[in-house]
């Protein structure tokens, strides 16, 4: 079948499926590379009869999920963004994390990323960037692989063991699968990420960068998001950035209600105030 299963998060269309599934299959055909599609393209990609696609597109446009351009093509409507912004794992975390992201940006002046896991991928829910920052491949709302990105490795490392094994069993390069290296190597890497409380990833495309990410925990202690900074490789030593990112992630976690373990630091007693003595 053509196309229906090619877009991230799409559901293959089969005869007898509910109307809502077929409508969602139309929306799933929009990607970063296909931001505007005409009716015939939508019908072909979603494997729907042209008449069926036309009827659904009309309803989706009336509701605001799609918008029609002057040239007859369709784009995703603002109404979908309004609905998506209500997601507690997206807008809720982002709203609380934003002041800390801004502080981290002021220190680094490059890229600060916030991501959550969705299925076999990470979804970027916010990014602060300098106009002069080095080029990166991911946009807000875009999907990122789990195994080859710093935020992805953090999210994967703290995923439940059964889910992690399911993701690691994926074919090379698909979803959160092992990618170019053996799954056993990725398991060892994820263990190191958990031990260090941070992930460090170097990339050469689209530019030479180093990413450092740390986990953000919710009130229940589960990792709900990952925070990352991305800077030009060799501009700053990665080990110097790890404490900075971890401290910011910990602060966000506390704002989300997470009560971490005591640090073990020795607290100096406050000296008693001395009264004035007379000679």
């Amino acid at each position: 079948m053509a196309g229906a299963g090619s877009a991230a998060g799409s559901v293959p269309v089969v005869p007898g499926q509910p109307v809502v599934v077929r409508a969602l299959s139309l929306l799933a055909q929009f990607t970063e590379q296909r931001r505007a599609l005409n009716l015939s393209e939508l019908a072909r990609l979603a494997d729907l009869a042209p008449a069926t696609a036309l009827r659904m597109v009309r309803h989706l446009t009336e509701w605001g999920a799609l918008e029609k351009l002057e040239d007859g093509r369709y784009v995703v409507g603002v109404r979908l963004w309004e609905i998506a912004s209500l997601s507690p794992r997206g807008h809720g975390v982002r709203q609380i994390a934003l002041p800390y992201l801004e502080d981290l940006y002021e220190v680094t002046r490059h890229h600060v990323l916030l991501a959550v896991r969705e299925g076999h991928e990470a979804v970027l829910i916010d990014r602060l960037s300098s106009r002069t920052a080095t080029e990166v491949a991911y946009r807000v709302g875009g999907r990122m692989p789990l195994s080859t990105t710093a935020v992805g490795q953090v999210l994967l490392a703290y995923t439940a063991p059964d889910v992690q094994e399911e993701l690691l069993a994926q074919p090379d390069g698909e979803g959160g699968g092992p990618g170019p290296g053996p799954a056993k190597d990725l398991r060892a890497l994820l263990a190191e990420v958990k031990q260090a409380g941070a992930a460090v990833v170097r990339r050469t495309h689209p530019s030479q960068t180093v990413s450092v990410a740390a986990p953000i925990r919710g009130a229940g202690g589960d990792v709900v998001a990952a925070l990352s900074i991305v800077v030009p490789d060799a501009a700053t030593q990665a080990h110097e950035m790890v404490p900075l990112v971890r401290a910011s992630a910990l602060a966000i976690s506390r704002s989300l209600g997470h009560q971490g373990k005591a640090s073990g630091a020795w607290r100096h007693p406050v000296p008693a105030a001395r009264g004035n003595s007379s000679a």
Side-chain angles (χ1 to χ4, degrees):
M1 296 178 71
S6 60
S10 63
V11 179
V13 177
V14 297
Q17 277 187 324
V19 173
V20 67
V21 174
R22 285 180 281 175
L24 290 173
S25 74
L26 284 170
L27 295 176
Q29 303 316 314
F30 291 94
T31 67
E32 186 172 3
Q33 292 73 33
R34 299 196 302 252
R35 292 174 177 261
L37 296 168
N38 59 39
L39 181 61
S40 62
E41 290 171 331
L42 280 168
R44 175 177 56 81
L45 291 168
D47 289 327
L48 293 175
T52 302
L54 175 60
R55 184 173 67 254
M56 292 183 177
V57 165
R58 282 176 176 170
H59 287 306
L60 290 169
T61 303
E62 290 173 0
W63 186 79
L66 293 178
E67 295 176 3
K68 190 173 184 179
L69 302 177
E70 293 183 358
D71 62 5
R73 295 182 299 164
Y74 293 88
V75 295
V76 174
V78 175
R79 184 80 181 273
L80 279 184
W81 177 258
E82 293 173 344
I83 298 298
S85 70
L86 300 176
S87 168
R89 291 206 304 130
H91 179 71
V93 173
R94 176 187 175 277
Q95 187 176 34
I96 291 174
L98 186 56
Y100 301 97
L101 267 64
E102 291 175 340
D103 290 345
L104 195 55
Y105 166 76
E106 289 297 329
V107 173
T108 61
R109 286 290 174 172
H110 284 285
H111 299 287
V112 180
L113 280 59
L114 183 66
V116 298
R117 185 176 69 85
E118 178 64 28
H120 293 180
E121 296 167 299
V123 176
L124 188 61
I125 61 174
D126 206 351
R127 190 183 93 187
L128 302 183
S129 303
S130 165
R131 292 183 182 276
T132 58
T134 187
E135 185 180 1
V136 293
Y138 304 108
R139 62 177 177 81
V140 174
R143 292 175 175 263
M144 311 164 69
L146 293 176
S147 60
T148 58
T149 60
V151 290
Q153 289 181 4
V154 164
L155 294 170
L156 186 55
Y158 291 91
T159 299
D162 56 335
V163 178
Q164 188 179 104
E165 287 305 312
E166 177 186 344
L167 294 174
L168 290 174
Q170 297 295 311
D172 287 357
E174 293 187 12
K184 65 178 183 179
D185 292 345
L186 183 54
R187 287 189 182 92
L189 174 61
L190 297 178
E192 293 176 2
V193 169
K194 290 191 71 173
Q195 183 177 9
V200 177
V201 172
R202 284 182 164 81
R203 303 181 71 90
T204 58
H205 181 79
S207 59
Q208 290 190 327
T209 58
V210 58
S211 305
V212 177
I216 295 173
R217 297 181 183 271
D222 293 334
V223 171
V224 297
L227 173 69
S228 171
I229 58 176
V230 183
V231 301
D233 199 359
T236 306
Q237 295 295 321
H239 70 271
E240 296 178 2
M241 298 188 292
V242 169
L244 179 64
V245 179
R246 288 186 59 189
S248 298
L250 180 59
I252 297 171
S253 299
R254 287 174 174 160
S255 295
L256 288 170
H258 174 60
Q259 299 294 326
K261 296 180 180 179
S263 65
W266 184 71
R267 289 170 171 78
H268 294 264
V270 178
R274 290 185 175 182
N276 292 328
S277 59
S278 56

